[in-house]
Amino acid sequence: MAAETEIKTFLCRSDNIGVLIRDPATGACAAIDVPEAGPVLKALDETGWRLTDILVTHRHGDHIDGIPDVKRATGARVQAAAKAGNAVPDVDVTVGEGDTVQVGRLEAQVWETPGHCADHITYWFAEAGIVCSGDTLFTLGCGRVMESPPETLWCSLHRFEQLTDETRVFSGHDYVLSNARFALVADPENRDLMARKAEAERAKAEGRFLIPSTMGAERATNPFLRSNLPALAKSVEFAPGTDPEAVFVALRAWKDRF
């Protein structure tokens, strides 16, 4: 690609992450979800970018409430999961597993990644090295299971294993510090995780957040991606070599109570 993909991240609501992704070759620009209109429109004004697309990860209100106002202001095309039905407002295009979406010359593969909710999808911009994981994979964590057995979310998370360590992960919320506290209880000897928590605390003090992360950082520090390791099995009182899916299910249940 002639020029590097341009990205702007910013806070929406109390802890949602707004993301704008722009193709500099064409000027096309996508918002990943619209938690609320104001911050998205402000970010567009600050950058001077023209919004052409809204890519919806899932139907929950804290990801779609701002769509009508932003669509009215920009005329952007709204793309969302077919499985969301009529729950997402103003949809122009519905997508599902195996589809691709275009933002100018940028192309993203659509993965169906249920678990947090049944209609959740993830957008993987392979050439740009970007994955927009919504509420499936977080920095140091994963989404809460709401509409399926936890094994469904495990299968969705397992798909991220194909991505390179350099892939940047844009998640839907800044839960980094609360995730870090749990992760250190589950994986207390992990020095990379200790450093990551300290980095998150510095970022918070400076008004920043650790989004995007990278797949390499998540593999090294995210307990939900490390359930194949003896240390994580031990933390949920399972024997080494226990099926990683069973370890994940126990970790997710523990996090729900944490």
Side-chain angles (χ1 to χ4, degrees):
M1 193 168 294
E4 185 175 356
T5 303
E6 297 174 302
I7 302 175
K8 184 175 179 63
T9 57
F10 47 95
L11 281 174
C12 296
R13 302 167 69 102
S14 61
D15 55 32
N16 282 75
I17 300 297
V19 181
L20 298 178
I21 298 177
R22 183 176 183 270
D23 170 28
T26 63
C29 174
I32 308 300
D33 296 329
V34 185
E36 60 177 333
V40 174
L41 295 173
K42 180 181 177 183
L44 290 168
D45 185 61
E46 289 173 348
T47 58
W49 295 350
R50 177 179 61 88
L51 192 70
T52 56
D53 292 272
I54 295 170
L55 306 181
V56 180
T57 63
H58 63 294
R59 71 183 193 278
H60 289 164
D62 63 329
H63 290 257
I64 66 172
D65 281 353
I67 288 175
D69 287 346
V70 170
K71 184 174 176 65
R72 278 194 295 271
T74 65
R77 174 179 56 178
V78 179
Q79 305 193 57
K83 289 183 177 178
N86 296 323
V88 177
D90 298 330
V91 173
D92 298 296
V93 179
T94 58
V95 295
E97 178 67 37
D99 289 337
T100 59
V101 299
Q102 294 286 147
V103 181
R105 296 182 186 176
L106 299 176
E107 182 176 274
Q109 294 183 24
V110 175
W111 296 351
E112 293 186 359
T113 49
H116 177 63
C117 63
D119 59 286
H120 199 293
I121 57 178
T122 290
Y123 298 94
W124 178 32
F125 293 84
E127 187 174 351
I130 294 166
V131 66
C132 299
S133 59
D135 287 7
T136 297
L137 176 64
F138 293 130
T139 301
L140 298 176
C142 70
R144 183 182 292 271
V145 177
M146 300 181 70
E147 296 181 3
S148 65
E151 290 84 358
T152 300
L153 182 58
W154 165 251
C155 290
S156 293
L157 286 171
H158 194 63
R159 299 192 66 174
F160 291 81
E161 287 300 319
Q162 69 184 272
L163 302 177
T164 65
D165 283 350
E166 295 75 25
T167 302
R168 290 175 288 173
V169 182
F170 290 85
S171 54
H173 289 272
D174 179 14
Y175 294 155
V176 179
L177 284 176
S178 60
N179 286 343
R181 287 189 287 271
F182 172 77
L184 271 174
V185 174
D187 196 7
E189 303 302 318
N190 186 331
R191 293 189 177 275
D192 289 334
L193 178 54
M194 295 174 195
R196 190 72 163 148
K197 182 174 184 290
E199 183 184 4
E201 289 169 340
R202 288 194 300 271
K204 182 73 170 180
E206 296 168 3
R208 299 183 290 109
F209 41 82
L210 296 190
I211 298 165
S213 182
T214 66
M215 281 304 303
E218 294 311 301
R219 288 188 176 100
T221 58
N222 189 324
F224 298 105
L225 298 184
R226 294 167 56 80
S227 60
N228 61 317
L229 299 178
L232 276 300
K234 180 181 177 182
S235 74
V236 290
E237 301 181 345
F238 288 170
T242 297
D243 183 352
E245 181 181 89
V247 175
F248 168 80
V249 170
L251 284 169
R252 185 60 260 183
W254 183 11
K255 180 64 162 61
D256 290 343
R257 303 188 302 268
F258 188 76

